[in-house]
Amino acid sequence: MGNLSGMTAKVTLSFSDETIEEARRFARREGLSLSAWMDQAAREKALREVFTAHATAVGRAGLDLEAAALADADEVGMVDDVLFGGRPRAA
């Protein structure tokens, strides 16, 4: 079972019966204590918020990172073709 190592604050929270039962079920399924599972879930939610805000800012800036990454991959392929003549390069 997951334990409370690394946890530094004890707080009292209130949840609906449905939410707490689902959380307990997920914690059991993942072999974690309820506290460890809730800590992980809260951390994941916070990271999603940060990444969503970053993606929104990138979009507002007019940057298309996916297109840039695909263009970079295409360029690597073209260089490989020139350097290695279509042969696979050594790992």
Side-chain angles (χ1 to χ4, degrees):
M1 280 293 228
N3 61 32
L4 302 178
S5 67
M7 295 198 190
T8 58
K10 185 170 183 139
V11 298
T12 301
L13 302 170
S14 298
F15 298 95
S16 70
D17 290 340
E18 181 180 319
T19 298
I20 200 66
E21 284 309 311
E22 287 179 5
R24 284 183 175 130
R25 183 170 42 88
F26 287 127
R28 277 192 304 271
R29 184 183 73 190
E30 294 180 26
L32 297 171
S33 68
L34 179 59
S35 291
W37 189 87
M38 295 294 263
D39 182 69
Q40 178 180 314
R43 209 167 336 116
E44 288 174 2
K45 172 67 174 169
L47 287 174
R48 277 193 305 275
E49 293 289 330
V50 168
F51 288 130
T52 298
H54 179 262
T56 300
V58 166
R60 276 196 315 265
L63 302 175
D64 188 348
L65 298 180
E66 184 175 358
L70 291 172
D72 287 348
D74 288 343
E75 189 173 324
V76 168
M78 289 186 293
V79 170
D80 281 354
D81 286 345
V82 170
L83 293 177
F84 302 106
R87 297 184 314 273
R89 66 178 145 155

